[in-house]
Structure formats: structure tokens, C-alpha cells
Amino acid sequence: MGFGERLREARKDANITQEELSKELNISINCIANYERGTSFPKEKYLFRIINRLGADPNYLFQDELDGPWLWGEERRLVEEYRKMDKRGRYLMRELTITNNINKLTERLANKDKNFTVIKFDVNNSIYGTLSEPYSSERNKMKHPKYKLYKSNAEDCACVLKVEGSAMEPFIKDGQWFSMVYADSLENGQIGLFDVGGFAVVAIKRSGKVYNLKTKDIFENEKFDTPRFLGRIIEFHKIDSEHEETEAVN
């Protein structure tokens, strides 16, 4: 499927006819038909107007023709609004975006999504850290042959998390990796990952209670909603370009 076919699909999704679109652009209906047949391509001034009128995603329309991503329509307007903001406004916007992405990721973990590979676990400021998926360039580095472990050999491994930050030291070091499996609950002596008020925290279950690395019961913190169990940690790994060390967790 090329640009023309995707353009036709976007026009139909917008519930607009070729004739209506041609009148709005002040061009002939044959031009629209030729665009959709792929026999001609719209000039830039018409291209912008077509995409904005149809509310189409340019990354979808041009995926076979052009490198992206490009910003169009609502995305461009949001960028323009961001540029007008003062320092505090930009900070709040970034925090809102980060929080939204974290909530989506933790929801996927809570729902036992099996489409993860590597997740970044940022604990630079606190043992209550944030989760994020790495950018494509980071994922490619993580899959580089010198990194022997990309995902645990355990068949039921949900994902591998890479720690960034020193807040959990000396128990878990900056740069360390660990494998996690989905489970319904923790048994005494087992270590797991929990979502606590939108933050991720490593905790261990002892005598029926769940403690973070500062030996605080995470279920007794009234500032947050009831913690959600995301998964059980089964192995800790230390990986560098020279060697790999793996420590199983009972």
C-alpha cells in the first residue's frame, strides 16, 4: 500500500468525497483522483492542506516514501504552544508527559503484557524510581553481541530491567540488570517489583509483610494508593563488554 492508497483511506475515514476535497483546495477532482491512483503527487502547498484537512498521520501516509517522523496538525500546534511556555510551564508539561508514559507502562506490566524486552529503571533520586522503555538506539545497543544477556533464558521471563542510578546501593548497583517474571503473588523470602503511587520499587516479602530496601513496609505508606504487584525478580545480572555474571534469586 502506497501513499495514494493511504490517502484514499484517510479521505474516506474523514467522510469527505473527492469532489468536496477538491473544492476546498480549489483544484480539480482529477487531481485528487490522480493523487489517490499514484499517478501524480501533490505539491507542497496542497500536501500540507490535505493532511491537515483530513487529520491524517503523515508518518502513516509517507512510511514508504519519506524518512520521519514529521510533525503535522495537532502535533505541530502542541510544539508551538510548548515553545511559548515559560520555564515552569515547560517543566509541568514534561512532568505530565513522563507521568502519562509511566502510567501506561505500569498498566501494561500489571496486565502481564508479554511484548516487553528491556525496561529502564531510573533510581537516580530515590529507591522509588520510574520506568521507561529505551529509545531504539538504546535498544540496539542492548542487543549488541557484547551484551551476552538480552533476556533471561527462563521461558516465562517477562522482561529484563536495567538499573540507572545509585539510590538502591549497596543492595542493587547502578548499571545492574535483573530479570522479572509475572506472578500472582510473592512468597516469603522472594523479591518483587511493585507500583507504588506511580513509582516502581523493589521490595522483599518477610513474615507476611513487604519491605522496601530501607526496611519500610510499603503497604503502610498512607501517602500512596495500595501498592500493585508487578512481578517477581528471578535473577540479578551484571553485564559489561567483557563478561557476564548472573545471580539467581530464590
Side-chain angles (χ1 to χ4, degrees):
M1 182 184 290
F3 170 82
E5 293 172 290
R6 292 191 175 94
L7 179 61
R8 181 187 300 113
E9 186 178 84
R11 177 181 57 76
K12 290 181 177 180
D13 287 343
N15 196 28
I16 183 172
T17 66
Q18 288 184 342
E19 183 178 6
E20 290 169 336
L21 184 58
S22 67
K23 287 181 178 179
E24 290 191 30
L25 298 175
N26 197 26
I27 58 177
S28 72
I29 190 172
N30 287 334
C31 286
I32 302 298
N34 288 336
Y35 299 158
E36 295 184 355
R37 282 196 295 264
T39 57
S40 64
F41 195 83
K43 294 180 180 179
E44 184 176 320
K45 65 178 181 178
Y46 294 122
L47 185 60
F48 279 83
R49 292 171 62 189
I50 289 171
I51 291 176
N52 285 323
R53 173 60 182 87
L54 301 181
D57 180 358
N59 297 310
Y60 171 70
L61 293 177
F62 296 124
Q63 60 183 276
D64 297 324
E65 285 84 7
L66 303 172
D67 293 328
W70 287 14
L71 295 179
W72 299 70
E74 183 180 4
E75 292 176 332
R76 189 172 67 252
R77 287 192 292 273
L78 287 172
V79 171
E80 291 171 353
E81 289 300 319
Y82 178 81
R83 288 172 177 167
K84 295 176 184 177
M85 293 179 180
D86 58 17
K87 185 176 181 180
R88 175 173 172 76
R90 292 186 177 191
Y91 170 79
L92 293 174
M93 179 64 75
R94 288 195 298 269
E95 289 299 303
L96 178 62
T97 303
I98 291 170
T99 300
N100 182 60
N101 290 336
I102 292 171
N103 289 341
K104 287 181 179 179
L105 196 152
T106 53
E107 283 297 325
R108 288 172 60 192
L109 287 172
N111 291 326
K112 297 181 171 57
D113 188 331
K114 295 184 179 180
N115 294 318
F116 287 112
T117 48
V118 173
I119 296 175
K120 293 167 61 177
F121 185 16
D122 186 337
V123 287
N124 279 288
N125 299 315
S126 168
I127 61 172
Y128 288 84
T130 57
L131 303 176
S132 64
E133 289 190 270
Y135 296 110
S136 57
S137 59
E138 293 173 308
R139 286 197 301 269
N140 291 336
K141 181 180 178 181
M142 291 172 178
K143 289 190 288 186
H144 191 281
K146 73 179 182 179
Y147 291 95
K148 296 181 181 179
L149 177 73
Y150 179 53
K151 195 168 183 179
S152 170
N153 293 326
E155 293 183 359
D156 56 350
C157 178
C159 60
V160 175
L161 292 93
K162 182 184 179 185
V163 177
E164 295 190 352
S166 58
M168 295 191 293
E169 292 184 356
F171 308 102
I172 303 175
K173 296 182 178 180
D174 181 17
Q176 196 160 14
W177 301 53
F178 60 86
S179 298
M180 188 184 81
V181 297
Y182 291 130
D184 293 326
S185 61
L186 278 184
E187 301 294 332
N188 283 325
Q190 293 181 338
I191 301 173
L193 187 70
F194 289 80
D195 169 30
V196 183
F199 296 94
V201 62
V202 173
I204 184 170
K205 188 171 184 178
R206 291 176 179 162
S207 302
K209 293 189 175 184
V210 182
Y211 300 94
N212 63 29
L213 297 179
K214 293 185 177 180
T215 67
K216 300 291 185 180
D217 185 344
I218 65 172
F219 285 86
E220 291 183 352
N221 193 331
E222 297 179 353
K223 295 181 180 179
F224 298 122
D225 295 332
T226 302
R228 289 192 301 176
F229 177 54
L230 299 177
R232 180 168 62 86
I233 297 171
I234 57 172
E235 291 177 331
F236 286 101
H237 317 275
K238 180 180 179 181
I239 305 173
D240 57 32
S241 59
E242 302 297 331
H243 64 282
E244 168 194 339
E245 298 176 359
T246 299
E247 178 184 352
V249 179
N250 296 325

